[in-house]
Every structure is written in structure tokens, then in C-alpha cells.
Amino acid sequence: MNSLDENEIITILEDEPKSGRLPVRSQRPWRLLIVDDDEDVHRATTFALADTTIDGHAFEFLHAYSGAEARQLLANTSDIAIVLLDVVMEDSDAGLRLVEAIRNDLGLREVRIILRTGQPGYAPELEVIRNYDINDYKTKAELTRVRLITTLTAAGRSYEQLRALNRAREGLEHIVRAAADLATYRAIQTFATGVLIQLAAMLRIEPRGVVCARSTGDSEFSVVASLDPPDLTDPLVTAAIRRCLQERCHLLDDDTTTLYFEGPSGHQVVVVFLATSATTELDRDLIRLFCTSVGVGFENVVLFQRLHSLAYRDTLTGLPNRAALMERLQSCVGDREHGEVALVQVERFAQVNDALGYPAGDQLIRAIAARFHSEFGDDFFFARVGPAQFAVMGGDHEVVPERILGLFKEPFRILDCELPVAIHVGMSSLDKAGDDGPHALNEASLALYQARKVSHPRFHRYTPDLELESTERLMLLNELRSAFAQGRLELHYQPQVDLSSGRVTGTEALLRWRRGDGKMIPPDRFIPLAESSGLIVPMGHWAPCFSSSLINLGATLA
């Protein structure tokens, strides 16, 4: 069995298979409970109804010889359709008390009750029918075989109608509840598991089965979800799945119940249970209705997972993206011991795009991701957080700079070229990040900035002074912008002298910054800020006839 990407499983399920229908099982026998203290009545009744079939239903006979015995049997036996009940047994009103127990104590509303009495005047017919929830009242003398069958036919049909109405009501209630429950699932596996549970409940069989899927044109299938899974190498299971996929319809075999769904794009889904159910026309209609809801649910789940993938996955590499990393870091709060997060910056990546083209750049990023995965495996969290920036999370004895830098000792082969790649690494400790998990990423970013300022070593670990330096740098940059906007920068001119003749051959313009308190800020502090922020360009335009490179030179010589 091959794996199938969950985004390829299904887009929407149709409410009806393209061919075939859910088969209807032969009619189950009606359970007829004979309650009478006379053994001859039992023998006569079973003899009269032997080999009798009504609307496709044969009879299954149950016997009780007292009201107490009948009550016990009714409490422990399901699906009793009709009760032939004697009024007088162990005492004069034993039958009438049993009627009240059936309706009120046991809550059996579907079972049809036919009272029989050998003493016609003992219990007045009108009074009994008016006061007790019975369906017919006959004397034993008038119940000839023909009349008995006629009476049982009416009672049996009434039972089936009530049972169908109650089954439909319960089924609709189940569908409404199931749809509400399934709507909360957002993963294809949990949704499919929920479908297994709900279908098993609707079919009244044990929820032991699997949901399998096959994409368009794929000859194999994959398991999407399973519940108390059967042996998937069992020929019985695989044969049921393959036959269902081949015939593209629901199947009811002696040992399995297999349901088939197909999406408009040709994706096929099979639900197979290692159990059977006496499926009726009503069951088929309810399952079809339920499958309509399930089809919409599958579509919603798949769409949600696609949106989730777009929101939390990098489309080029399939790796988690920055949003996924931030969520993972936050989830680590209070549950991290000696963990590390490392930011890895690929240097001069833009030059690869410029020289070899964007497809080559994409190939390089995928190759780097593959090399990281090969080294760290699935035990680490690895994400692409920028065009040429990655993040690695793991234990502090495993995520170490030497291991990361070692991955880039060998060049990458891109477009038949051996391409050496340089990186810088910034690292931060998760267990020192306090209660704010994502703050560790900020710390690693500060460390990366510091690492990129020098050529060796190519990594730096976060220390608290880096954050202080970053804050001061930001405040100084804001103050510089304000000073430039308010015209508080100064140009100082320094003469250039020919030492051989003593003549002044030119002047050099030097940019100076004097704060409001009169204190001078050295050029080697504010010029790099102006360059990194792009402020150096308008500064060069502000000093007429002098380029930004001349200002830079003046700052160097000052």
C-alpha cells in the first residue's frame, strides 16, 4: 500500500455512488412473544403459524408462562415485534399489569400487544382498550388460524411503520449530531475516524474498520484512518476494498460491510467494516443522506488543510515557515529543557539568482533543506523563515554551531556547477527565554546580526548585551533621522594641502552631528547607521556636489 498525500485524497464526495446501490438484506423474522400459562396455547399458536410468512417476515417464537417471566424476557431481549398476551395468568390481572410494565417501566413503544382472554366478560373490552395501550383484544375462541394471521399481519405492519418512523427520527438526530461533531475536526485523519464511528453507530455494528483512499489513476490505495484496525494483510479485507473500488458501489457480504464514495475529480474513498448489518431501504436512505453531509465535511476538511498548509508551510521546500516556527516556539513555553534555536543565513544568495537564475536559486534552497534533513532527521524542528534563512530547534547538545557549519564544508552541485555556500549562524537558548517562546527567535536574530558583522567566527551566541546594544542602536537611528529632518547636521570643511608647495588644492566636506546639548556624536557611530538604514542617500543629496562616498571617506579619516 502506498502513501497518499492528504491534499490529494478528495475534494468533495458525491452523495450517491456512480453505479450500484446499497443492497437490501432479506427481511428479518418477527419475534413473537407468546405469554400464557397454558402449555396447549403455546403449542396451538406455534402450530398454526408454522411456515407462515407475512410481507417477507417469518416468525421467531419466544415463550413465557407468567407475567413475571415475560417481563424478564422483554427486558433482556431486543426487537420483539408482537406480544400475544393472556389476561389471566398467575393472578386475575397479571396480563394488564404486564401491559403497564411494557409501556411505562420498560419504555417499549414499538412492540405491538394483542390481548387474548379465555373469559370474555372478565375484563370489559372497551374499558381495556380505552385504559391500556394495547393494539387488539380478542377472545381465544374467535382467534381461528385465519383471524390470527390477519390480526398478526395488522400488528406486524404497524410495528414496522412505527419502527421505521422511530428509526428515521433517530437517524436524522444522529446525522445532525454527527455533522456538528464532525464539523469540529480539522485534520483528515480525525475526520475520517469520526466518520467510521458515526457510520458504525448508524449501521448498529461494531466500529472496527478502516477508511481507505485512492487518487485518480492510482492502482493502489492508502489508509487514511482506522479504528480498532483489522489486519490489512487479511485477504478478506483487501478483497473487499479492491472489489468495492472495482465495482464502484456499496457492498454487503457475509463478513464485511463496505461503503463506496467517489469525488468529482475521480478520487475514491472506501469505508470497510468487519461486520454486517441487516440494512433496509430506510437504512440506505439515511446513509445516503449522511454521506451528503460527510461529502461536504470532507471537502471542508481538505480545504482547511490546504489553507493551513499555505499558512504554515513553505511552498518551495514544504518545510514549516516562520508562522509555524513562531507557533512552535510559543508551544515550548514551560516545556523546554536545555533547548536551542539557531538561525542560519545563507550569504550572497542574491548573487546566485543574478548569476544562475531563479530556478538555480530555488534548486539551491531545496538542496540545503535536503542536507539539513539528512543531518538532523525528523527529531528536530526545521523551518524556512526567509528567502535565504533557516531555523533549527533541538537539544543544546545536538544543535551546535560546529554541526551546522559542517553541513556547508562541501559545495552544492547546482546546474552541473560546484557551488560553495557561506553561512552565518545566530543561536539562542530556549530555556533562558522566559515565558515568551518567540522571544528566543528575536535573540537568535540579534546573535545572527552580530555574527554577520565579522568574517570569523561565522557564528555568535546571544548575550543580554546584544539586546541592549540593539535598543541603543535603534534609539540612535531614530534620533539621527530627527536631527537630519530638522537640519541639525553640520558640514565641516577641511582644506587639502599640497605639502611640496604649501598650496591649498581643495577642501574635504566632513559630516558632523551635534546633539542639542552640544555633545558631538562620532561619525563612526552614526555613519554605519545611516548606511544600513538607507539614510545615507538623502544625506548625500543634502550636501551639494559631494557624493555619499566622499562623506564616507571623511568619516574614515576623521
Side-chain angles (χ1 to χ4, degrees):
M1 300 180 190
N2 67 324
S3 62
L4 187 68
D5 186 82
E6 62 190 22
N7 290 337
E8 297 178 349
I9 289 174
I10 193 166
T11 54
I12 185 172
L13 298 178
E14 294 178 338
D15 61 345
E16 185 78 10
K18 287 189 174 181
S19 64
R21 286 177 168 267
L22 194 68
V24 179
R25 295 259 186 208
S26 60
Q27 302 292 351
R28 70 196 183 289
W30 282 336
R31 286 181 171 173
L32 174 62
L33 173 59
I34 304 171
V35 186
D36 202 296
D37 58 357
D38 188 345
E39 178 67 33
D40 291 338
V41 172
H42 289 264
R43 284 197 299 268
T45 303
T46 55
F47 179 79
L49 298 175
D51 300 325
T52 299
T53 301
I54 300 175
D55 295 339
H57 298 273
F59 285 101
E60 177 184 340
F61 298 102
L62 303 175
H63 300 273
Y65 296 89
S66 68
E69 184 181 353
R71 175 170 177 157
Q72 185 68 27
L73 196 151
L74 284 160
N76 298 324
T77 307
S78 61
D79 295 333
I80 293 178
I82 305 170
V83 177
L84 281 174
L85 175 60
D86 189 13
V87 175
V88 181
M89 290 179 289
E90 62 263 40
D91 49 49
S92 60
D93 61 349
L96 297 179
R97 291 203 312 273
L98 180 60
V99 172
E100 291 184 335
I102 291 173
R103 299 305 191 201
N104 301 329
D105 298 341
L106 300 178
L108 300 177
R109 298 295 175 182
E110 296 175 357
V111 61
R112 302 293 84 194
I113 301 174
I114 300 173
L115 279 182
R116 297 194 298 184
T117 180
Q119 304 176 37
Y122 191 84
E125 180 176 351
L126 291 177
E127 182 179 337
V128 170
I129 292 177
R130 182 174 61 247
N131 296 336
Y132 294 89
D133 184 5
I134 64 171
N135 306 103
D136 210 341
Y137 188 7
K138 301 291 184 180
T139 64
K140 294 178 181 179
E142 68 179 313
L143 272 179
T144 64
R145 181 177 184 276
V146 173
R147 290 183 178 179
L148 176 61
I149 293 176
T150 302
T151 301
L152 292 177
T153 299
R157 289 172 177 173
S158 176
Y159 167 75
E160 287 296 329
Q161 290 171 355
L162 280 175
R163 189 172 183 274
L165 287 173
N166 289 332
R167 184 80 174 88
R169 176 182 54 79
E170 293 171 0
L172 291 173
E173 290 176 353
H174 179 91
I175 290 171
V176 172
R177 290 194 305 269
D181 291 341
L182 292 173
T184 63
Y185 298 143
R186 291 292 180 263
I188 195 75
Q189 291 81 6
T190 53
F191 183 87
T193 300
V195 170
L196 272 174
I197 296 171
Q198 301 295 351
L199 276 173
M202 182 169 292
L203 292 168
R204 296 181 180 177
I205 58 180
E206 289 296 321
R208 183 169 184 255
V210 294
V211 177
C212 300
R214 184 170 71 179
S215 62
T216 306
D218 189 355
S219 60
E220 294 296 326
F221 58 86
S222 66
V223 176
V224 182
S226 61
L227 197 67
D228 187 16
D231 183 6
L232 295 179
T233 63
D234 185 348
L236 180 69
V237 178
T238 55
I241 295 172
R242 295 190 185 282
R243 182 184 164 206
C244 186
L245 289 171
Q246 181 179 2
E247 298 185 13
R248 303 171 71 177
C249 64
H250 304 308
L251 300 173
L252 288 177
D253 297 322
D254 293 336
D255 300 306
T256 59
T257 298
T258 312
L259 304 178
Y260 174 85
F261 314 106
E262 181 175 329
S265 300
H267 298 99
Q268 299 169 299
V269 174
V270 172
V271 179
V272 55
F273 294 101
L274 282 184
T276 58
S277 172
T279 308
T280 64
E281 285 287 346
L282 175 61
D283 292 326
R284 185 178 62 80
D285 292 339
L286 289 172
I287 291 171
R288 183 173 55 192
L289 180 60
F290 179 69
C291 290
T292 302
S293 175
V294 169
V296 175
F298 262 113
E299 180 188 23
N300 290 340
V301 170
V302 172
L303 289 175
F304 177 85
Q305 293 206 195
R306 287 179 178 173
L307 290 173
H308 186 274
S309 179
L310 290 174
Y312 290 97
R313 287 282 169 179
D314 173 55
T315 55
L316 177 62
T317 63
L319 293 172
N321 59 13
R322 187 181 186 89
L325 174 65
M326 298 295 284
E327 190 172 279
R328 181 65 172 265
L329 284 168
Q330 187 60 49
S331 69
C332 288
V333 172
D335 186 26
R336 53 178 184 270
E337 293 182 1
H338 310 297
E340 292 283 333
V341 58
L343 277 182
V344 181
Q345 177 67 44
V346 178
E347 300 299 342
R348 297 183 295 277
F349 177 68
Q351 295 178 11
V352 176
N353 286 332
D354 294 340
L356 301 179
Y358 284 96
D362 292 346
Q363 186 178 346
L364 175 60
I365 291 298
R366 286 193 292 265
I368 292 173
R371 191 173 288 188
F372 263 99
H373 186 269
S374 176
E375 172 66 20
F376 289 98
D378 296 326
D379 295 332
F380 296 81
F381 187 83
F382 183 50
R384 185 187 182 201
V385 296
Q389 193 173 96
F390 299 88
V392 186
M393 283 177 58
D396 58 356
H397 295 300
E398 298 166 312
V399 179
V400 293
E402 294 80 10
R403 189 177 183 184
I404 296 174
L405 293 170
L407 293 175
F408 294 85
K409 288 182 178 180
E410 298 295 329
F412 292 82
R413 189 165 186 82
I414 305 296
L415 298 181
D416 295 327
C417 298
E418 296 291 335
L419 187 65
V421 174
I423 63 167
H424 286 93
V425 181
M427 305 191 67
S428 175
S429 176
L430 288 173
D431 58 349
K432 296 180 181 178
D435 293 331
D436 185 7
H439 186 66
L441 187 62
N442 298 337
E443 296 176 350
S445 182
L446 291 173
L448 178 62
Y449 176 83
Q450 189 68 20
R452 299 182 70 188
K453 289 171 62 176
V454 295
S455 58
H456 187 79
R458 289 185 292 155
F459 71 88
H460 197 89
R461 186 175 296 279
Y462 170 81
T463 55
D465 59 294
L466 292 180
E467 194 160 1
L468 179 61
E469 179 184 334
S470 176
T471 301
E472 292 177 347
R473 187 167 60 249
L474 179 61
M475 294 177 63
L476 190 64
L477 176 60
N478 289 335
E479 192 176 347
L480 175 61
R481 290 183 184 277
S482 178
F484 178 68
Q486 296 173 11
R488 291 190 280 110
L489 298 184
E490 304 172 1
L491 279 176
H492 291 192
Y493 295 93
Q494 177 174 290
Q496 295 177 329
V497 180
D498 185 348
L499 296 179
S500 62
S501 64
R503 294 177 56 194
V504 175
T505 59
T507 59
E508 183 179 26
L510 304 176
L511 187 63
R512 294 291 182 263
W513 176 16
R514 190 189 307 273
R515 277 178 165 168
D517 58 2
K519 182 180 178 181
M520 299 296 292
I521 304 297
D524 62 350
R525 287 194 62 193
F526 73 83
I527 292 297
L529 285 176
E531 289 177 329
S532 63
S533 65
L535 192 59
I536 195 70
V537 176
M539 284 181 176
H541 294 160
W542 173 74
C545 303
F546 295 96
S547 67
S548 59
S549 61
L550 184 60
I551 296 175
N552 223 347
L553 179 61
T556 303
L557 297 176

